[in-house]
Short mmCIF file of all heavy atoms in Angstrom, two decimals:
data_model
loop_
_atom_site.label_atom_id
_atom_site.label_comp_id
_atom_site.label_asym_id
_atom_site.label_seq_id
_atom_site.Cartn_x
_atom_site.Cartn_y
_atom_site.Cartn_z
N PRO A 160 6.52 -1.16 -18.30
CA PRO A 160 5.55 -2.38 -18.17
C PRO A 160 4.81 -2.47 -16.85
O PRO A 160 3.68 -2.79 -16.93
CB PRO A 160 6.63 -3.46 -18.46
CG PRO A 160 7.69 -2.88 -19.12
CD PRO A 160 7.80 -1.54 -18.81
N GLN A 161 5.52 -2.21 -15.78
CA GLN A 161 4.86 -2.26 -14.52
C GLN A 161 3.79 -1.27 -14.24
O GLN A 161 2.88 -1.49 -13.58
CB GLN A 161 5.80 -2.30 -13.23
CG GLN A 161 6.45 -0.78 -13.20
CD GLN A 161 7.73 -0.62 -13.78
OE1 GLN A 161 7.94 -1.17 -14.88
NE2 GLN A 161 8.58 0.25 -13.33
N ASN A 162 3.84 -0.33 -15.01
CA ASN A 162 2.82 0.93 -14.93
C ASN A 162 1.68 0.68 -16.03
O ASN A 162 0.50 0.79 -15.70
CB ASN A 162 3.47 2.26 -15.03
CG ASN A 162 4.31 2.56 -13.94
OD1 ASN A 162 4.21 2.08 -12.80
ND2 ASN A 162 5.42 3.22 -14.22
N TRP A 163 2.14 0.25 -17.25
CA TRP A 163 1.05 0.17 -18.33
C TRP A 163 0.22 -0.99 -18.11
O TRP A 163 -0.81 -1.06 -18.88
CB TRP A 163 1.92 0.17 -19.70
CG TRP A 163 1.08 0.69 -20.77
CD1 TRP A 163 0.90 0.07 -21.99
CD2 TRP A 163 0.08 2.04 -20.84
NE1 TRP A 163 0.09 0.92 -22.87
CE2 TRP A 163 -0.42 1.99 -22.14
CE3 TRP A 163 0.01 2.97 -19.99
CZ2 TRP A 163 -1.21 3.04 -22.50
CZ3 TRP A 163 -0.81 3.94 -20.36
CH2 TRP A 163 -1.50 4.04 -21.64
N SER A 164 0.46 -1.81 -17.21
CA SER A 164 -0.41 -2.87 -16.88
C SER A 164 -1.82 -2.42 -16.38
O SER A 164 -2.70 -3.16 -16.32
CB SER A 164 0.22 -3.96 -15.96
OG SER A 164 0.53 -3.24 -14.72
N HIS A 165 -1.72 -1.07 -16.00
CA HIS A 165 -2.97 -0.49 -15.46
C HIS A 165 -3.60 0.51 -16.49
O HIS A 165 -4.22 1.38 -16.14
CB HIS A 165 -2.63 0.35 -14.22
CG HIS A 165 -2.05 -0.46 -13.02
ND1 HIS A 165 -2.77 -1.37 -12.31
CD2 HIS A 165 -0.71 -0.59 -12.63
CE1 HIS A 165 -2.08 -1.84 -11.46
NE2 HIS A 165 -0.82 -1.50 -11.50
N LYS A 166 -3.09 0.27 -17.79
CA LYS A 166 -3.46 1.31 -18.76
C LYS A 166 -4.94 1.51 -18.98
O LYS A 166 -5.52 2.55 -19.35
CB LYS A 166 -3.00 0.87 -20.22
CG LYS A 166 -3.61 -0.43 -20.73
CD LYS A 166 -2.78 -0.63 -22.12
CE LYS A 166 -3.33 -2.02 -22.75
NZ LYS A 166 -2.67 -2.23 -24.05
N ALA A 167 -5.91 0.55 -18.41
CA ALA A 167 -7.29 0.74 -18.62
C ALA A 167 -7.71 1.78 -17.67
O ALA A 167 -8.80 2.41 -17.83
CB ALA A 167 -7.99 -0.52 -18.11
N GLU A 168 -6.98 2.33 -16.75
CA GLU A 168 -7.15 3.43 -15.83
C GLU A 168 -6.66 4.68 -16.24
O GLU A 168 -6.94 5.71 -15.53
CB GLU A 168 -6.68 2.97 -14.39
CG GLU A 168 -7.33 1.74 -13.80
CD GLU A 168 -6.29 1.18 -12.79
OE1 GLU A 168 -5.49 1.93 -12.10
OE2 GLU A 168 -6.49 -0.02 -12.32
N TYR A 169 -5.90 4.69 -17.34
CA TYR A 169 -5.21 5.98 -17.75
C TYR A 169 -6.23 7.08 -18.05
O TYR A 169 -6.15 8.24 -17.64
CB TYR A 169 -4.30 5.64 -18.88
CG TYR A 169 -3.43 6.84 -19.38
CD1 TYR A 169 -2.27 7.14 -18.67
CD2 TYR A 169 -3.56 7.45 -20.55
CE1 TYR A 169 -1.41 8.14 -19.02
CE2 TYR A 169 -2.90 8.46 -20.91
CZ TYR A 169 -1.77 8.93 -20.21
OH TYR A 169 -0.88 9.76 -20.61
N ARG A 170 -7.11 6.69 -18.84
CA ARG A 170 -8.22 7.68 -19.16
C ARG A 170 -8.88 8.31 -17.98
O ARG A 170 -8.98 9.54 -18.07
CB ARG A 170 -9.11 7.20 -20.28
CG ARG A 170 -10.29 8.20 -20.75
CD ARG A 170 -11.28 7.50 -21.60
NE ARG A 170 -12.41 8.41 -21.97
CZ ARG A 170 -12.37 9.13 -23.12
NH1 ARG A 170 -11.49 8.78 -23.88
NH2 ARG A 170 -13.40 9.83 -23.34
N SER A 171 -9.47 7.50 -17.19
CA SER A 171 -10.23 8.00 -15.95
C SER A 171 -9.33 8.75 -15.05
O SER A 171 -9.84 9.69 -14.43
CB SER A 171 -10.83 6.89 -15.43
OG SER A 171 -9.91 5.87 -14.85
N ASP A 172 -8.06 8.36 -14.84
CA ASP A 172 -7.20 9.03 -13.91
C ASP A 172 -6.86 10.39 -14.55
O ASP A 172 -6.82 11.46 -13.96
CB ASP A 172 -5.93 8.29 -13.68
CG ASP A 172 -6.12 7.12 -12.78
OD1 ASP A 172 -7.30 6.95 -12.24
OD2 ASP A 172 -5.21 6.30 -12.57
N TYR A 173 -6.61 10.43 -15.92
CA TYR A 173 -6.31 11.74 -16.50
C TYR A 173 -7.53 12.70 -16.43
O TYR A 173 -7.51 13.91 -16.10
CB TYR A 173 -6.02 11.50 -17.93
CG TYR A 173 -4.94 12.44 -18.39
CD1 TYR A 173 -3.73 11.84 -19.11
CD2 TYR A 173 -5.03 13.79 -18.40
CE1 TYR A 173 -2.64 12.77 -19.48
CE2 TYR A 173 -3.91 14.62 -18.82
CZ TYR A 173 -2.86 14.12 -19.45
OH TYR A 173 -1.82 14.72 -19.88
N ALA A 174 -8.73 12.08 -16.66
CA ALA A 174 -10.06 12.91 -16.59
C ALA A 174 -10.18 13.43 -15.18
O ALA A 174 -10.61 14.68 -15.07
CB ALA A 174 -11.14 12.13 -16.97
N GLU A 175 -9.83 12.73 -14.20
CA GLU A 175 -9.92 13.15 -12.86
C GLU A 175 -8.95 14.44 -12.62
O GLU A 175 -9.33 15.37 -11.80
CB GLU A 175 -9.76 11.98 -11.87
CG GLU A 175 -9.91 12.41 -10.39
CD GLU A 175 -9.82 11.29 -9.41
OE1 GLU A 175 -9.81 10.12 -9.94
OE2 GLU A 175 -9.67 11.56 -8.19
N MET A 176 -7.78 14.27 -12.98
CA MET A 176 -6.80 15.28 -12.67
C MET A 176 -7.19 16.56 -13.51
O MET A 176 -7.24 17.68 -12.96
CB MET A 176 -5.37 14.97 -13.25
CG MET A 176 -4.39 16.05 -13.08
SD MET A 176 -2.68 15.48 -13.38
CE MET A 176 -2.23 14.32 -12.03
N VAL A 177 -7.90 16.43 -14.69
CA VAL A 177 -8.25 17.66 -15.30
C VAL A 177 -9.33 18.32 -14.59
O VAL A 177 -9.41 19.62 -14.49
CB VAL A 177 -8.73 17.20 -16.80
CG1 VAL A 177 -9.61 18.38 -17.39
CG2 VAL A 177 -7.56 16.85 -17.75
N LYS A 178 -10.29 17.49 -13.98
CA LYS A 178 -11.37 17.99 -13.16
C LYS A 178 -10.91 18.76 -12.07
O LYS A 178 -11.41 19.81 -11.63
CB LYS A 178 -12.38 16.94 -12.75
CG LYS A 178 -13.55 17.40 -12.13
CD LYS A 178 -14.56 16.29 -11.80
CE LYS A 178 -15.80 16.94 -11.22
NZ LYS A 178 -15.68 17.74 -10.05
N ILE A 179 -9.88 18.25 -11.46
CA ILE A 179 -9.34 18.91 -10.18
C ILE A 179 -8.73 20.28 -10.47
O ILE A 179 -9.10 21.20 -9.80
CB ILE A 179 -8.22 18.03 -9.62
CG1 ILE A 179 -8.91 16.73 -8.91
CG2 ILE A 179 -7.47 18.76 -8.46
CD1 ILE A 179 -7.89 15.78 -8.31
N PHE A 180 -8.27 20.27 -11.53
CA PHE A 180 -7.58 21.69 -12.00
C PHE A 180 -8.64 22.52 -12.50
O PHE A 180 -8.67 23.78 -12.16
CB PHE A 180 -6.53 21.50 -13.07
CG PHE A 180 -5.19 21.12 -12.52
CD1 PHE A 180 -4.57 19.90 -12.96
CD2 PHE A 180 -4.50 21.91 -11.65
CE1 PHE A 180 -3.42 19.50 -12.49
CE2 PHE A 180 -3.33 21.63 -11.20
CZ PHE A 180 -2.60 20.33 -11.51
N ARG A 181 -9.66 22.05 -13.19
CA ARG A 181 -10.63 22.99 -13.71
C ARG A 181 -11.64 23.47 -12.74
O ARG A 181 -12.13 24.59 -12.74
CB ARG A 181 -11.59 22.11 -14.82
CG ARG A 181 -11.13 22.17 -16.17
CD ARG A 181 -12.15 21.55 -17.05
NE ARG A 181 -11.78 22.02 -18.55
CZ ARG A 181 -12.22 21.46 -19.51
NH1 ARG A 181 -13.15 20.33 -19.32
NH2 ARG A 181 -11.90 21.80 -20.71
N ASP A 182 -11.63 22.69 -11.41
CA ASP A 182 -12.58 23.20 -10.43
C ASP A 182 -11.97 24.20 -9.52
O ASP A 182 -12.48 24.71 -8.41
CB ASP A 182 -12.88 21.91 -9.59
CG ASP A 182 -13.96 21.08 -10.25
OD1 ASP A 182 -14.62 21.58 -11.21
OD2 ASP A 182 -14.24 19.96 -9.76
N LEU A 183 -10.50 24.56 -9.91
CA LEU A 183 -9.92 25.60 -9.05
C LEU A 183 -10.62 26.99 -9.09
O LEU A 183 -11.41 27.21 -10.09
CB LEU A 183 -8.54 25.75 -9.47
CG LEU A 183 -7.63 24.53 -9.24
CD1 LEU A 183 -6.23 24.77 -9.92
CD2 LEU A 183 -7.35 24.39 -7.86
N PRO A 184 -10.58 27.80 -8.10
CA PRO A 184 -11.20 29.11 -8.23
C PRO A 184 -10.82 29.93 -9.52
O PRO A 184 -11.66 30.72 -9.96
CB PRO A 184 -10.75 29.75 -6.99
CG PRO A 184 -10.41 28.68 -6.09
CD PRO A 184 -9.75 27.62 -6.83
N SER A 185 -9.61 29.79 -9.95
CA SER A 185 -9.23 30.54 -11.14
C SER A 185 -9.78 29.99 -12.57
O SER A 185 -9.65 30.61 -13.46
CB SER A 185 -7.70 30.40 -11.25
OG SER A 185 -7.24 29.14 -11.39
N LYS A 186 -10.34 28.71 -12.33
CA LYS A 186 -11.08 28.10 -13.61
C LYS A 186 -10.06 28.13 -14.82
O LYS A 186 -10.36 28.71 -15.82
CB LYS A 186 -12.37 28.82 -13.92
CG LYS A 186 -13.41 28.84 -12.92
CD LYS A 186 -13.83 27.45 -12.50
CE LYS A 186 -14.80 27.55 -11.28
NZ LYS A 186 -15.24 26.19 -10.80
N PRO A 187 -8.92 27.43 -14.70
CA PRO A 187 -7.90 27.57 -15.75
C PRO A 187 -8.28 26.81 -17.01
O PRO A 187 -9.12 25.93 -16.97
CB PRO A 187 -6.77 26.92 -15.02
CG PRO A 187 -7.34 26.00 -14.15
CD PRO A 187 -8.49 26.54 -13.54
N LYS A 188 -7.74 27.18 -18.06
CA LYS A 188 -7.80 26.36 -19.24
C LYS A 188 -6.78 25.23 -19.12
O LYS A 188 -5.83 25.46 -18.56
CB LYS A 188 -7.50 27.18 -20.54
CG LYS A 188 -8.55 28.31 -20.89
CD LYS A 188 -8.18 28.92 -22.12
CE LYS A 188 -9.45 29.85 -22.62
NZ LYS A 188 -9.12 30.50 -24.05
N ILE A 189 -7.25 24.12 -19.73
CA ILE A 189 -6.34 22.94 -19.68
C ILE A 189 -5.80 22.56 -20.98
O ILE A 189 -6.47 22.39 -21.99
CB ILE A 189 -7.09 21.78 -19.01
CG1 ILE A 189 -7.86 22.25 -17.75
CG2 ILE A 189 -6.12 20.64 -18.60
CD1 ILE A 189 -6.93 22.63 -16.65
N PHE A 190 -4.44 22.31 -21.10
CA PHE A 190 -3.87 21.81 -22.27
C PHE A 190 -3.10 20.64 -21.96
O PHE A 190 -2.28 20.65 -20.88
CB PHE A 190 -2.81 22.84 -22.79
CG PHE A 190 -3.30 24.13 -23.16
CD1 PHE A 190 -3.73 25.18 -22.30
CD2 PHE A 190 -3.63 24.46 -24.52
CE1 PHE A 190 -4.26 26.38 -22.76
CE2 PHE A 190 -4.25 25.60 -25.08
CZ PHE A 190 -4.47 26.57 -24.01
N ILE A 191 -3.32 19.46 -22.65
CA ILE A 191 -2.64 18.24 -22.36
C ILE A 191 -1.73 18.01 -23.55
O ILE A 191 -2.05 18.46 -24.62
CB ILE A 191 -3.68 17.09 -22.24
CG1 ILE A 191 -4.39 16.83 -23.38
CG2 ILE A 191 -4.48 17.31 -20.95
CD1 ILE A 191 -5.46 15.60 -23.33
N CYS A 192 -0.59 17.40 -23.27
CA CYS A 192 0.56 17.17 -24.21
C CYS A 192 0.56 15.78 -24.71
O CYS A 192 0.54 14.85 -23.91
CB CYS A 192 1.86 17.57 -23.61
SG CYS A 192 2.00 19.26 -23.13
N ARG A 193 0.68 15.63 -26.02
CA ARG A 193 1.10 14.31 -26.46
C ARG A 193 2.53 14.16 -26.08
O ARG A 193 3.41 15.09 -26.41
CB ARG A 193 0.97 14.27 -28.19
CG ARG A 193 -0.43 14.36 -28.59
CD ARG A 193 -0.45 14.32 -30.10
NE ARG A 193 -1.80 14.12 -30.69
CZ ARG A 193 -2.05 14.30 -31.95
NH1 ARG A 193 -1.01 14.68 -32.78
NH2 ARG A 193 -3.29 14.24 -32.42
N PRO A 194 2.86 13.01 -25.50
CA PRO A 194 4.25 12.87 -24.90
C PRO A 194 5.29 13.04 -25.85
O PRO A 194 5.05 12.84 -27.15
CB PRO A 194 4.18 11.62 -24.13
CG PRO A 194 2.81 11.28 -23.99
CD PRO A 194 2.15 11.89 -25.14
N CYS A 195 6.64 13.26 -25.33
CA CYS A 195 7.77 13.12 -26.27
C CYS A 195 7.89 11.81 -26.87
O CYS A 195 7.62 10.83 -26.38
CB CYS A 195 8.97 13.36 -25.40
SG CYS A 195 9.30 15.11 -24.78
N PRO A 196 8.38 11.77 -28.11
CA PRO A 196 8.57 10.47 -28.78
C PRO A 196 9.71 9.85 -28.04
O PRO A 196 10.61 10.33 -27.38
CB PRO A 196 9.16 10.90 -30.12
CG PRO A 196 9.62 12.27 -30.07
CD PRO A 196 8.80 12.84 -29.06
N VAL A 197 9.73 8.42 -28.17
CA VAL A 197 10.83 7.57 -27.52
C VAL A 197 11.53 6.82 -28.62
O VAL A 197 11.05 5.81 -28.98
CB VAL A 197 10.25 6.71 -26.48
CG1 VAL A 197 11.30 5.93 -25.73
CG2 VAL A 197 9.43 7.45 -25.54
N PRO A 198 12.67 7.27 -29.08
CA PRO A 198 13.31 6.60 -30.23
C PRO A 198 13.73 5.24 -29.78
O PRO A 198 14.04 4.94 -28.60
CB PRO A 198 14.59 7.48 -30.53
CG PRO A 198 14.24 8.71 -29.90
CD PRO A 198 13.38 8.62 -28.83
N GLU A 199 13.73 4.27 -30.70
CA GLU A 199 14.06 2.90 -30.37
C GLU A 199 15.41 2.73 -29.91
O GLU A 199 16.34 3.42 -30.42
CB GLU A 199 13.78 1.96 -31.60
CG GLU A 199 12.21 1.86 -31.92
CD GLU A 199 11.37 1.32 -30.89
OE1 GLU A 199 11.93 0.55 -30.04
OE2 GLU A 199 10.16 1.58 -30.86
N PRO A 200 15.73 1.88 -29.05
CA PRO A 200 14.89 0.95 -28.31
C PRO A 200 14.25 1.45 -27.00
O PRO A 200 13.87 0.58 -26.20
CB PRO A 200 15.84 -0.27 -28.07
CG PRO A 200 17.13 0.44 -27.75
CD PRO A 200 17.24 1.59 -28.55
N GLY A 201 14.08 2.73 -26.93
CA GLY A 201 13.72 3.25 -25.64
C GLY A 201 14.66 3.25 -24.41
O GLY A 201 15.99 2.98 -24.83
N ASN A 202 14.28 3.52 -23.28
CA ASN A 202 15.34 3.60 -22.16
C ASN A 202 14.38 3.55 -20.85
O ASN A 202 13.25 3.94 -20.80
CB ASN A 202 16.13 4.72 -22.27
CG ASN A 202 17.53 4.55 -21.60
OD1 ASN A 202 17.72 3.67 -20.79
ND2 ASN A 202 18.32 5.55 -21.69
N TYR A 203 15.01 2.88 -19.89
CA TYR A 203 14.49 2.96 -18.46
C TYR A 203 13.14 2.23 -18.45
O TYR A 203 12.31 2.46 -17.52
CB TYR A 203 14.15 4.36 -17.96
CG TYR A 203 15.34 5.25 -18.10
CD1 TYR A 203 15.19 6.42 -19.00
CD2 TYR A 203 16.53 5.22 -17.52
CE1 TYR A 203 16.24 7.35 -19.14
CE2 TYR A 203 17.64 6.10 -17.73
CZ TYR A 203 17.40 7.14 -18.36
OH TYR A 203 18.46 7.97 -18.70
N GLY A 204 12.95 1.32 -19.55
CA GLY A 204 11.62 0.64 -19.60
C GLY A 204 10.51 1.54 -20.22
O GLY A 204 9.40 1.03 -20.57
N ILE A 205 10.84 2.78 -20.62
CA ILE A 205 9.89 3.70 -21.35
C ILE A 205 9.93 3.30 -22.82
O ILE A 205 11.05 3.13 -23.42
CB ILE A 205 10.32 5.11 -21.08
CG1 ILE A 205 10.17 5.50 -19.66
CG2 ILE A 205 9.54 6.15 -22.00
CD1 ILE A 205 10.85 6.66 -19.19
N ASN A 206 8.82 3.28 -23.63
CA ASN A 206 8.83 2.89 -24.85
C ASN A 206 7.76 3.64 -25.76
O ASN A 206 6.85 4.13 -25.24
CB ASN A 206 8.46 1.33 -24.79
CG ASN A 206 7.05 1.00 -24.28
OD1 ASN A 206 6.09 0.94 -24.87
ND2 ASN A 206 7.08 0.77 -22.89
N GLU A 207 8.13 3.66 -27.06
CA GLU A 207 7.27 4.38 -28.01
C GLU A 207 5.90 3.82 -28.27
O GLU A 207 4.97 4.41 -28.43
CB GLU A 207 7.95 4.38 -29.40
CG GLU A 207 7.31 5.18 -30.45
CD GLU A 207 7.11 6.67 -30.12
OE1 GLU A 207 7.54 7.16 -29.15
OE2 GLU A 207 6.54 7.29 -31.12
#
């Protein structure tokens, strides 16, 4: 909850990280992962 309150920034922050890696001299391919599922009721504040 304390982090997802900033969810409006998630896309732009992710796009910036992708750009940083893409701009490396090696010009890597980027693969992003759909996160692991979180069975109910979650844990550590992490939720599905």
Side-chain angles (χ1 to χ4, degrees):
Q161 70 269 29
N162 296 325
W163 205 229
S164 62
H165 302 286
K166 65 181 179 181
E168 303 161 17
Y169 186 74
R170 180 190 176 97
S171 59
D172 286 354
Y173 218 123
E175 184 177 346
M176 182 173 287
V177 167
K178 184 179 187 304
I179 287 172
F180 281 117
R181 271 194 166 160
D182 287 344
L183 293 174
S185 57
K186 303 299 179 186
K188 291 188 176 184
I189 311 296
F190 295 81
I191 61 176
C192 297
R193 290 176 174 174
C195 290
V197 183
E199 295 297 339
N202 206 351
Y203 316 113
I205 296 166
N206 60 87
E207 178 72 355

